Amino acid sequence: MKNFSSNGVWFSGDSIKSCIGFIDLVDSTKNTITMDNLGHIRIYYSKFINPISKIVKSHGGKVIKNIEDCILFYFPKLLIIKTKKLLKRLLNVAWKS
């Protein structure tokens, strides 16, 4: 591949070191399949997606995309010291959803 090196994939000619992550809502299809009210399904997903997105953004992260029941995000500038605390916070919110 022309745009690939051991330093990463290049799309725009720029390269940044960043932390990329995704969080998936486990068993969401199983949990929503029995919901016959679209409003309940929206509430179910919003209780997961909205808090995770807020935490990512409040720590300088960028939400790239919601992929059904998954959130893809990255942190362009993340100090290793903050990483452990941030991941714990994200997982606590995801676990409670």
Side-chain angles (χ1 to χ4, degrees), residues 4 8 12 43 46 50 53 56 59-61 68 70 75-76 86 94 96:
F4 181 78
S12 65
I43 291 169
S46 68
N50 294 340
S53 297
V56 167
H59 285 83
E68 295 181 22
C70 176
F75 296 95
L86 172 60
K96 292 175 185 176

Side-chain angles (χ1 to χ4, degrees), residues 16-25 48-67 69-78 82-83 86-94:
I16 61 170
K17 292 187 185 275
S18 59
C19 174
I20 298 172
F22 68 94
I23 298 179
D24 183 64
L25 186 58
F48 168 72
I49 291 171
N50 294 340
I52 296 293
S53 297
K54 285 179 186 176
I55 293 170
V56 167
K57 291 174 184 176
S58 73
H59 285 83
K62 311 256 186 224
V63 174
I64 299 169
K65 188 169 189 153
N66 294 348
I67 308 164
D69 63 348
C70 176
I71 299 175
L72 179 62
F73 56 89
Y74 79 102
F75 296 95
K77 298 177 183 177
L78 185 65
K82 288 180 163 183
T83 305
L86 172 60
L87 290 176
K88 190 173 185 177
R89 189 169 171 206
L90 286 168
L91 292 174
N92 281 334
V93 169

Side-chain angles (χ1 to χ4, degrees), residues 3 9-16:
N3 294 336
V9 179
W10 292 59
F11 293 101
S12 65
D14 298 328
S15 175
I16 61 170

Side-chain angles (χ1 to χ4, degrees), residues 10-48:
W10 292 59
F11 293 101
S12 65
D14 298 328
S15 175
I16 61 170
K17 292 187 185 275
S18 59
C19 174
I20 298 172
F22 68 94
I23 298 179
D24 183 64
L25 186 58
V26 177
D27 290 334
S28 66
T29 302
K30 183 175 85 174
N31 292 331
T32 59
I33 199 98
T34 58
M35 294 181 189
D36 55 356
N37 184 325
L38 189 56
H40 292 150
I41 295 171
R42 285 187 186 125
I43 291 169
Y44 177 83
Y45 284 114
S46 68
K47 285 187 176 188
F48 168 72

